[in-house]
Amino acid sequence: MDLILCHTTADFDALGAAVGLTRLLPGSKIVLTGGSHPSVGDFLALHRDEYSLIERRSVNPEKIRSVTVVDTQQRDRLGKAAEWLDLPDVREIIVYDHHLGQESDIPATRAHISSVGATTTLIVEQLQQQQISLTPAEATVMALGIHVDTGSLTFDQSTPRDALALAWLMQQGASLSVISTYRDPGLSLQLQQLLTKALENLEYLCLHGYTVAWVTLKTDGFVPGLSSLASELVELTEIDAILLANEYSLDESDSRLTVIGRSQIPKTNLNLLFQLLGCGGHSQAASLNLRKVDSQAILKQLLEGVKAQIPHPPTARDLMSSPVRTILPETTIAEAQRILLRYGHSGLSVVDAQKQLVGIISRRDIDIALHHGFSHAPVKGYMTVNLKTITPDTTLPEIEALMVTYDIGRLPVLENGQLVGIVTRTDVLRELHQERDGEKGRGREREKRKGGESNLSLPQLQNKLAPQLWQLLTKASAEAEKRGWHLYLVGGAVRDLLLAQAASGTLMIKDIDLVVDGFHKSADVGAGVELAKALQQLYLAARLEIHGAFQTAALLWHKDPELDSLWVDIATARTEFYPYPAANPEVEASSIRQDLYRRDFTINALALRLTTPRAGELLDFFGGLIDLQAKQIRVLHANSFIEDPTRIYRGVRFAVRFGFQIEPQTEEFIRYAINSGVYDRTAQDNSKTPALQTRLKTELKHILEAPYWKSALQLLDNLGALQCIHPTLKLDAELLRQLRLLERCLRRFDPQPTLIHWEMRLETLIAHLTPQYRAKVAKNLQLQEDSIKRLQNLASAQTEVMESLPMCESPSQVVQLLRQYDLPMLILIAVQSPREIRHQIWEYFTVWANVQPLLNGNDLKKLGYKPGPQYRQILDDVLAATLDGVIKDNREAEEFLAKHYPK
């Protein structure tokens, strides 16, 4: 006999999962081990005959061969049926559950536990894999299980997998009318009476902007459906969390306590609290059943646990953008619009000569003024002066309430009367969204970790980084905290650490970017430089470089015994503005949010906070973590590639390096920027276009020295991005052939290497252009002088070689022709020449260039020849004779001299 056990007081999820398992395990029977939820009982009163249900008392324990447990991992939730788990003839015990983080005391031989909204979803997925169809009755009860346990996909533990499972069950014929009847059946008469009593005796506590309520109900016996009563109380009273206790006795010596917990407070985890008492559930819904305990002590313990978990809500100091862009009341509407355009703001704060806030003007105000032709008018005539302001310590709930009550899109933050920041509606929505997503992410952390997709905490960072790097970051964060600043690890280091989560071992990252955000403490623009100087005092071996224009400093180590050749960039959080496409950006000090906003791709706009409080917090304002999981490169801004074409090359480099795809919209932005002709226009209008010159060369270096350079070039060509080097450059079949020949030449003739191979690849690309463009492109990319000269002379050198080489009748003539060119020039000529020419150059490299004269200057001196200019001619003639086979040894060489150069 194969049994499927539902937990006591079975709910629809347990029943639905059990029904689905009867299709996966043909012939198995379902046992309700100890009653059911009232709505489940009502459902079974009409539909029991549709399912393979048997009574516990009808089971012969001696015939049990396998036991499958659904929707629990605890023996005590199986009632007396738990005894069957210990029978000697039971061959297999299987557990299906969706409650993560629970210690199971069931001796399972197999377990299927996953972070989904309902256990039934796990069964549906297996049915789909095995292509097993259902009857409408089976589909209906399984759909009920998912609906009830996920609140029809509205509970935080709901996942896309639950939605897909429901869709499939609908295809199998699940009855929506039956589901609507039993999904929310309403409260029984007994529960309605208890609801009235609970509302009268409910106690409240407000903490950090959240309301927690608790109540104890005493009844004569067990009351089914208390979870429905708890949910009804939350809905009616709009509280954030509740602990509903029920004291009852089955007889004089057997007192019982049931507690139902519900929480809508971010970061609280009722499952952890209830597990301490041997019970559990979900992070936001848990329950316990205990015997012979002090009910008030238990309730007090749970209440204290909930209070300890309630997070301090973010304050304006955490949310605000700082410093604030301000204008004077006399600023014209036209100038205000220009400032909005430059910084991408939706409004500006207006201050007087004493820096006191006097008003705010929004983009809409400016647009209306411009529409009516008042571009010359001062903003003081259009700004809002009746302002609502907040302090740095104003909490998120208070900020949200102000915005909703007064329909305000931005709130200035004042400290001691001075404007120190501004909180916008977007800041609030982003924080609320992150809180909700963060709670879901924590609930699925274990499952994500299996796929290498988990979040990165501070302890995980310590375990993943090499110890010497962790020590450096610890010292840097300590120095920042001394000054009251926040310090963040940003960009590529965070990305690489997240990608390496599933890998073993520690990372020794060579390039680290740190950002100091100190404006909440009125730090000046040199915060990054100051921190770098402080760190150098702790690491005397590091060289300090300061780049004042960009408010950055760098610490560099060279072959250090611990840190090797480490490069640490330390910058003050900043925003940037491009005066024209491909220019160097103009930067201004700003906040960490704006610093991340200015970056190129979402996967590089991640930051990990290193300083307390909230150390280990991952800042992800743009979905970078999702894009890492989806393995896609997504740009932050539509105009990103127009402003900086090197981002195209970086995007391609990341895509090929990590095996990611460029997101379709991002690819459209790339093609639009290239096809718009903006790069040609800006190069004609401006003498300096660094993003098409030095910065483009740097990106080409990164690509062409990497092992994946061929794939990167092919992707660049597919996007049309080689036009950034020159409008006519394309990776056609001939250029591909030349690049293949180049690699053969470099492997054969420069194995050590003595040449810079990435530069040779770049020169080969440039050499594919028509001769009149080569030197110009090389100069534009600011290549080395010898590279520029080589490309400038390549056409004439190639013409001479191709015309003269076929006329050479002997090896000595070939050597005389080719030895006037250096190795790089001959390689460039070879890869562009026909096969016959190339083979002769190849033979020159492999054979003739290695032939040495049979005699040298010392030999000539011994033979009595006086040193002088004639030595060179004599040795050249000896070499030519050797190459041509006229002489083969020293005796013949001396005879050759005697004949042609008699003493």
Side-chain angles (χ1 to χ4, degrees), residues 181-225:
T181 299
Y182 291 98
R183 183 183 65 83
D184 186 15
L187 299 180
S188 65
L189 178 60
Q190 183 184 20
L191 289 177
Q192 291 177 36
Q193 294 170 344
L194 289 176
L195 174 62
T196 302
K197 187 182 296 186
L199 290 172
E200 292 173 352
N201 295 282
L202 207 59
E203 297 183 77
Y204 299 90
L205 167 73
C206 291
L207 185 63
H208 303 319
Y210 297 105
T211 302
V212 180
W214 65 97
V215 67
T216 300
L217 300 174
K218 296 182 179 182
T219 59
D220 294 333
F222 172 73
V223 178

Short mmCIF file of all heavy atoms in Angstrom, two decimals, residues 181-225:
data_model
loop_
_atom_site.label_atom_id
_atom_site.label_comp_id
_atom_site.label_asym_id
_atom_site.label_seq_id
_atom_site.Cartn_x
_atom_site.Cartn_y
_atom_site.Cartn_z
N THR A 181 -16.15 29.89 -5.10
CA THR A 181 -17.01 29.54 -3.96
C THR A 181 -16.21 29.19 -2.72
O THR A 181 -16.55 29.61 -1.60
CB THR A 181 -17.93 28.36 -4.33
OG1 THR A 181 -18.75 28.72 -5.43
CG2 THR A 181 -18.81 27.96 -3.14
N TYR A 182 -15.12 28.43 -2.92
CA TYR A 182 -14.39 27.91 -1.77
C TYR A 182 -13.11 28.67 -1.45
O TYR A 182 -12.53 28.46 -0.39
CB TYR A 182 -14.05 26.43 -2.00
CG TYR A 182 -15.28 25.54 -1.97
CD1 TYR A 182 -15.90 25.15 -3.16
CD2 TYR A 182 -15.82 25.13 -0.76
CE1 TYR A 182 -17.03 24.35 -3.14
CE2 TYR A 182 -16.96 24.32 -0.74
CZ TYR A 182 -17.56 23.94 -1.93
OH TYR A 182 -18.68 23.16 -1.90
N ARG A 183 -12.66 29.52 -2.36
CA ARG A 183 -11.42 30.26 -2.10
C ARG A 183 -11.59 31.20 -0.92
O ARG A 183 -10.68 31.36 -0.09
CB ARG A 183 -11.01 31.05 -3.35
CG ARG A 183 -9.69 31.79 -3.20
CD ARG A 183 -9.39 32.61 -4.44
NE ARG A 183 -10.37 33.66 -4.62
CZ ARG A 183 -10.33 34.85 -4.02
NH1 ARG A 183 -9.37 35.13 -3.16
NH2 ARG A 183 -11.26 35.76 -4.26
N ASP A 184 -12.75 31.85 -0.83
CA ASP A 184 -13.01 32.77 0.28
C ASP A 184 -14.44 32.53 0.77
O ASP A 184 -15.37 33.29 0.46
CB ASP A 184 -12.84 34.21 -0.19
CG ASP A 184 -12.96 35.21 0.97
OD1 ASP A 184 -12.89 34.76 2.14
OD2 ASP A 184 -13.12 36.40 0.70
N PRO A 185 -14.65 31.47 1.54
CA PRO A 185 -16.02 31.08 1.89
C PRO A 185 -16.66 31.95 2.96
O PRO A 185 -17.82 31.80 3.28
CB PRO A 185 -15.82 29.65 2.43
CG PRO A 185 -14.44 29.66 2.99
CD PRO A 185 -13.64 30.57 2.10
N GLY A 186 -15.91 32.90 3.55
CA GLY A 186 -16.47 33.72 4.63
C GLY A 186 -16.32 33.02 5.97
O GLY A 186 -15.89 31.87 6.06
N LEU A 187 -16.63 33.73 7.01
CA LEU A 187 -16.46 33.20 8.35
C LEU A 187 -17.70 32.44 8.80
O LEU A 187 -18.84 32.85 8.53
CB LEU A 187 -16.18 34.34 9.34
CG LEU A 187 -14.92 35.18 9.09
CD1 LEU A 187 -14.81 36.26 10.16
CD2 LEU A 187 -13.66 34.32 9.07
N SER A 188 -17.45 31.33 9.53
CA SER A 188 -18.57 30.59 10.12
C SER A 188 -19.19 31.42 11.22
O SER A 188 -18.65 32.44 11.65
CB SER A 188 -18.05 29.26 10.68
OG SER A 188 -17.16 29.51 11.77
N LEU A 189 -20.35 30.95 11.72
CA LEU A 189 -21.03 31.69 12.79
C LEU A 189 -20.14 31.79 14.02
O LEU A 189 -20.05 32.85 14.66
CB LEU A 189 -22.35 30.99 13.14
CG LEU A 189 -23.16 31.63 14.29
CD1 LEU A 189 -23.53 33.07 13.94
CD2 LEU A 189 -24.41 30.80 14.58
N GLN A 190 -19.45 30.70 14.36
CA GLN A 190 -18.56 30.71 15.52
C GLN A 190 -17.44 31.73 15.32
O GLN A 190 -17.11 32.50 16.24
CB GLN A 190 -17.97 29.32 15.76
CG GLN A 190 -17.09 29.25 17.01
CD GLN A 190 -16.44 27.89 17.20
OE1 GLN A 190 -16.34 27.11 16.25
NE2 GLN A 190 -16.01 27.58 18.42
N LEU A 191 -16.84 31.76 14.11
CA LEU A 191 -15.75 32.70 13.85
C LEU A 191 -16.27 34.14 13.84
O LEU A 191 -15.55 35.06 14.25
CB LEU A 191 -15.07 32.36 12.52
CG LEU A 191 -14.22 31.07 12.51
CD1 LEU A 191 -13.66 30.82 11.11
CD2 LEU A 191 -13.08 31.15 13.52
N GLN A 192 -17.48 34.35 13.38
CA GLN A 192 -18.04 35.70 13.40
C GLN A 192 -18.19 36.21 14.84
O GLN A 192 -17.92 37.38 15.14
CB GLN A 192 -19.40 35.71 12.70
CG GLN A 192 -19.31 35.50 11.19
CD GLN A 192 -20.68 35.46 10.55
OE1 GLN A 192 -21.59 36.18 10.97
NE2 GLN A 192 -20.84 34.62 9.54
N GLN A 193 -18.61 35.30 15.73
CA GLN A 193 -18.73 35.68 17.14
C GLN A 193 -17.37 35.98 17.74
O GLN A 193 -17.20 36.95 18.51
CB GLN A 193 -19.42 34.55 17.91
CG GLN A 193 -20.87 34.34 17.50
CD GLN A 193 -21.47 33.09 18.10
OE1 GLN A 193 -20.76 32.20 18.58
NE2 GLN A 193 -22.81 32.99 18.07
N LEU A 194 -16.36 35.17 17.38
CA LEU A 194 -15.00 35.40 17.87
C LEU A 194 -14.41 36.67 17.28
O LEU A 194 -13.61 37.35 17.93
CB LEU A 194 -14.10 34.20 17.54
CG LEU A 194 -14.38 32.93 18.35
CD1 LEU A 194 -13.50 31.78 17.85
CD2 LEU A 194 -14.13 33.16 19.84
N LEU A 195 -14.82 37.02 16.04
CA LEU A 195 -14.34 38.26 15.43
C LEU A 195 -14.78 39.46 16.26
O LEU A 195 -14.00 40.37 16.52
CB LEU A 195 -14.87 38.37 13.99
CG LEU A 195 -14.58 39.69 13.26
CD1 LEU A 195 -13.08 39.90 13.11
CD2 LEU A 195 -15.26 39.71 11.89
N THR A 196 -16.05 39.45 16.70
CA THR A 196 -16.56 40.55 17.53
C THR A 196 -15.77 40.65 18.83
O THR A 196 -15.37 41.74 19.26
CB THR A 196 -18.05 40.34 17.84
OG1 THR A 196 -18.77 40.25 16.61
CG2 THR A 196 -18.59 41.48 18.68
N LYS A 197 -15.54 39.51 19.46
CA LYS A 197 -14.79 39.48 20.71
C LYS A 197 -13.35 39.95 20.49
O LYS A 197 -12.79 40.70 21.31
CB LYS A 197 -14.80 38.07 21.30
CG LYS A 197 -14.17 37.98 22.68
CD LYS A 197 -14.17 36.55 23.21
CE LYS A 197 -15.58 36.03 23.39
NZ LYS A 197 -15.55 34.67 24.05
N ALA A 198 -12.74 39.53 19.37
CA ALA A 198 -11.36 39.92 19.09
C ALA A 198 -11.24 41.42 18.87
O ALA A 198 -10.30 42.07 19.36
CB ALA A 198 -10.85 39.16 17.87
N LEU A 199 -12.19 42.00 18.15
CA LEU A 199 -12.15 43.44 17.90
C LEU A 199 -12.28 44.23 19.19
O LEU A 199 -11.70 45.31 19.34
CB LEU A 199 -13.25 43.83 16.91
CG LEU A 199 -13.06 43.36 15.46
CD1 LEU A 199 -14.30 43.62 14.64
CD2 LEU A 199 -11.85 44.05 14.83
N GLU A 200 -13.04 43.69 20.14
CA GLU A 200 -13.22 44.39 21.42
C GLU A 200 -11.97 44.32 22.30
O GLU A 200 -11.71 45.24 23.09
CB GLU A 200 -14.40 43.77 22.18
CG GLU A 200 -15.75 44.01 21.53
CD GLU A 200 -16.86 43.24 22.22
OE1 GLU A 200 -16.54 42.42 23.11
OE2 GLU A 200 -18.05 43.45 21.87
N ASN A 201 -11.19 43.25 22.17
CA ASN A 201 -10.07 43.02 23.08
C ASN A 201 -8.70 43.17 22.40
O ASN A 201 -7.68 42.91 23.04
CB ASN A 201 -10.18 41.61 23.68
CG ASN A 201 -11.41 41.47 24.55
OD1 ASN A 201 -11.44 41.91 25.70
ND2 ASN A 201 -12.45 40.84 24.01
N LEU A 202 -8.69 43.59 21.17
CA LEU A 202 -7.43 43.71 20.44
C LEU A 202 -6.54 44.77 21.09
O LEU A 202 -6.98 45.87 21.40
CB LEU A 202 -7.71 44.09 18.98
CG LEU A 202 -6.70 43.67 17.92
CD1 LEU A 202 -6.51 42.16 17.88
CD2 LEU A 202 -7.17 44.16 16.54
N GLU A 203 -5.27 44.42 21.31
CA GLU A 203 -4.28 45.36 21.85
C GLU A 203 -3.31 45.76 20.73
O GLU A 203 -3.00 44.96 19.85
CB GLU A 203 -3.52 44.72 23.01
CG GLU A 203 -4.39 44.39 24.20
CD GLU A 203 -3.60 43.82 25.37
OE1 GLU A 203 -2.93 44.62 26.07
OE2 GLU A 203 -3.63 42.59 25.56
N TYR A 204 -2.83 47.00 20.80
CA TYR A 204 -2.01 47.54 19.71
C TYR A 204 -0.68 48.06 20.23
O TYR A 204 -0.55 48.48 21.38
CB TYR A 204 -2.73 48.70 19.02
CG TYR A 204 -4.05 48.35 18.38
CD1 TYR A 204 -5.24 48.45 19.10
CD2 TYR A 204 -4.10 47.92 17.05
CE1 TYR A 204 -6.45 48.13 18.52
CE2 TYR A 204 -5.32 47.61 16.46
CZ TYR A 204 -6.48 47.71 17.20
OH TYR A 204 -7.68 47.40 16.60
N LEU A 205 0.30 48.06 19.33
CA LEU A 205 1.60 48.67 19.60
C LEU A 205 2.10 49.29 18.31
O LEU A 205 2.05 48.64 17.24
CB LEU A 205 2.60 47.60 20.07
CG LEU A 205 4.07 48.01 20.11
CD1 LEU A 205 4.31 48.96 21.28
CD2 LEU A 205 4.98 46.79 20.22
N CYS A 206 2.54 50.55 18.36
CA CYS A 206 3.11 51.21 17.18
C CYS A 206 4.61 51.33 17.36
O CYS A 206 5.08 51.83 18.39
CB CYS A 206 2.49 52.59 16.98
SG CYS A 206 0.76 52.53 16.48
N LEU A 207 5.35 50.87 16.37
CA LEU A 207 6.81 50.89 16.45
C LEU A 207 7.38 51.14 15.05
O LEU A 207 7.06 50.42 14.11
CB LEU A 207 7.33 49.56 17.01
CG LEU A 207 8.83 49.45 17.27
CD1 LEU A 207 9.28 50.45 18.33
CD2 LEU A 207 9.20 48.03 17.68
N HIS A 208 8.21 52.17 14.94
CA HIS A 208 8.88 52.51 13.67
C HIS A 208 7.88 52.67 12.53
O HIS A 208 8.17 52.32 11.38
CB HIS A 208 9.91 51.45 13.29
CG HIS A 208 10.95 51.20 14.33
ND1 HIS A 208 11.53 52.23 15.05
CD2 HIS A 208 11.52 50.05 14.76
CE1 HIS A 208 12.42 51.71 15.89
NE2 HIS A 208 12.44 50.41 15.75
N GLY A 209 6.71 53.18 12.85
CA GLY A 209 5.73 53.44 11.81
C GLY A 209 4.85 52.25 11.49
O GLY A 209 3.99 52.34 10.60
N TYR A 210 5.00 51.13 12.16
CA TYR A 210 4.19 49.93 11.91
C TYR A 210 3.33 49.63 13.14
O TYR A 210 3.72 49.90 14.27
CB TYR A 210 5.08 48.73 11.60
CG TYR A 210 5.92 48.90 10.36
CD1 TYR A 210 7.29 49.17 10.45
CD2 TYR A 210 5.35 48.80 9.09
CE1 TYR A 210 8.06 49.34 9.31
CE2 TYR A 210 6.11 48.95 7.94
CZ TYR A 210 7.46 49.24 8.06
OH TYR A 210 8.22 49.40 6.93
N THR A 211 2.17 49.03 12.89
CA THR A 211 1.23 48.69 13.97
C THR A 211 1.17 47.18 14.13
O THR A 211 0.87 46.45 13.16
CB THR A 211 -0.17 49.24 13.68
OG1 THR A 211 -0.09 50.66 13.51
CG2 THR A 211 -1.12 48.92 14.82
N VAL A 212 1.43 46.71 15.34
CA VAL A 212 1.35 45.29 15.68
C VAL A 212 0.20 45.12 16.67
O VAL A 212 0.06 45.90 17.62
CB VAL A 212 2.67 44.79 16.31
CG1 VAL A 212 2.56 43.31 16.65
CG2 VAL A 212 3.84 45.04 15.37
N ALA A 213 -0.64 44.10 16.43
CA ALA A 213 -1.77 43.84 17.32
C ALA A 213 -1.71 42.40 17.82
O ALA A 213 -1.14 41.53 17.18
CB ALA A 213 -3.09 44.09 16.58
N TRP A 214 -2.31 42.17 18.99
CA TRP A 214 -2.38 40.81 19.52
C TRP A 214 -3.65 40.67 20.37
O TRP A 214 -4.18 41.64 20.90
CB TRP A 214 -1.13 40.48 20.33
CG TRP A 214 -0.95 41.29 21.59
CD1 TRP A 214 -1.31 40.94 22.86
CD2 TRP A 214 -0.38 42.61 21.69
NE1 TRP A 214 -1.00 41.93 23.76
CE2 TRP A 214 -0.41 42.97 23.07
CE3 TRP A 214 0.16 43.52 20.77
CZ2 TRP A 214 0.06 44.20 23.52
CZ3 TRP A 214 0.63 44.73 21.22
CH2 TRP A 214 0.58 45.06 22.58
N VAL A 215 -4.11 39.44 20.46
CA VAL A 215 -5.32 39.18 21.24
C VAL A 215 -5.32 37.70 21.62
O VAL A 215 -4.81 36.86 20.88
CB VAL A 215 -6.59 39.54 20.43
CG1 VAL A 215 -6.75 38.63 19.24
CG2 VAL A 215 -7.83 39.50 21.33
N THR A 216 -5.89 37.41 22.79
CA THR A 216 -6.04 36.03 23.24
C THR A 216 -7.54 35.72 23.36
O THR A 216 -8.28 36.45 24.03
CB THR A 216 -5.36 35.80 24.59
OG1 THR A 216 -3.97 36.10 24.47
CG2 THR A 216 -5.53 34.35 25.04
N LEU A 217 -7.96 34.65 22.70
CA LEU A 217 -9.35 34.21 22.74
C LEU A 217 -9.42 32.88 23.48
O LEU A 217 -8.65 31.95 23.16
CB LEU A 217 -9.91 34.06 21.33
CG LEU A 217 -9.91 35.32 20.46
CD1 LEU A 217 -10.35 34.99 19.04
CD2 LEU A 217 -10.82 36.39 21.06
N LYS A 218 -10.32 32.77 24.44
CA LYS A 218 -10.49 31.53 25.18
C LYS A 218 -11.79 30.86 24.73
O LYS A 218 -12.85 31.49 24.68
CB LYS A 218 -10.54 31.81 26.68
CG LYS A 218 -9.23 32.37 27.22
CD LYS A 218 -9.28 32.59 28.74
CE LYS A 218 -7.96 33.14 29.25
NZ LYS A 218 -7.95 33.33 30.74
N THR A 219 -11.68 29.58 24.36
CA THR A 219 -12.85 28.84 23.90
C THR A 219 -12.92 27.51 24.64
O THR A 219 -11.95 27.07 25.27
CB THR A 219 -12.76 28.58 22.37
OG1 THR A 219 -11.57 27.83 22.10
CG2 THR A 219 -12.73 29.88 21.61
N ASP A 220 -14.06 26.85 24.51
CA ASP A 220 -14.26 25.58 25.20
C ASP A 220 -13.53 24.43 24.51
O ASP A 220 -13.23 23.41 25.12
CB ASP A 220 -15.76 25.26 25.29
CG ASP A 220 -16.49 26.26 26.18
OD1 ASP A 220 -15.84 26.82 27.08
OD2 ASP A 220 -17.69 26.48 25.95
N GLY A 221 -13.28 24.58 23.24
CA GLY A 221 -12.61 23.52 22.50
C GLY A 221 -11.88 24.08 21.30
O GLY A 221 -11.81 25.31 21.09
N PHE A 222 -11.33 23.18 20.47
CA PHE A 222 -10.61 23.59 19.27
C PHE A 222 -11.54 24.32 18.30
O PHE A 222 -12.68 23.92 18.09
CB PHE A 222 -10.01 22.36 18.60
CG PHE A 222 -9.41 22.65 17.26
CD1 PHE A 222 -8.21 23.35 17.14
CD2 PHE A 222 -10.06 22.25 16.10
CE1 PHE A 222 -7.67 23.63 15.89
CE2 PHE A 222 -9.52 22.52 14.85
CZ PHE A 222 -8.31 23.22 14.75
N VAL A 223 -11.02 25.41 17.71
CA VAL A 223 -11.80 26.20 16.75
C VAL A 223 -11.13 26.10 15.38
O VAL A 223 -10.01 26.59 15.19
CB VAL A 223 -11.89 27.68 17.17
CG1 VAL A 223 -12.66 28.48 16.12
CG2 VAL A 223 -12.54 27.81 18.53
N PRO A 224 -11.77 25.46 14.42
CA PRO A 224 -11.18 25.41 13.08
C PRO A 224 -11.32 26.75 12.37
O PRO A 224 -12.27 27.50 12.62
CB PRO A 224 -12.00 24.32 12.38
CG PRO A 224 -13.32 24.32 13.09
CD PRO A 224 -13.02 24.70 14.51
N GLY A 225 -10.37 27.05 11.49
CA GLY A 225 -10.48 28.25 10.66
C GLY A 225 -9.96 29.52 11.29
O GLY A 225 -10.29 30.62 10.84
#
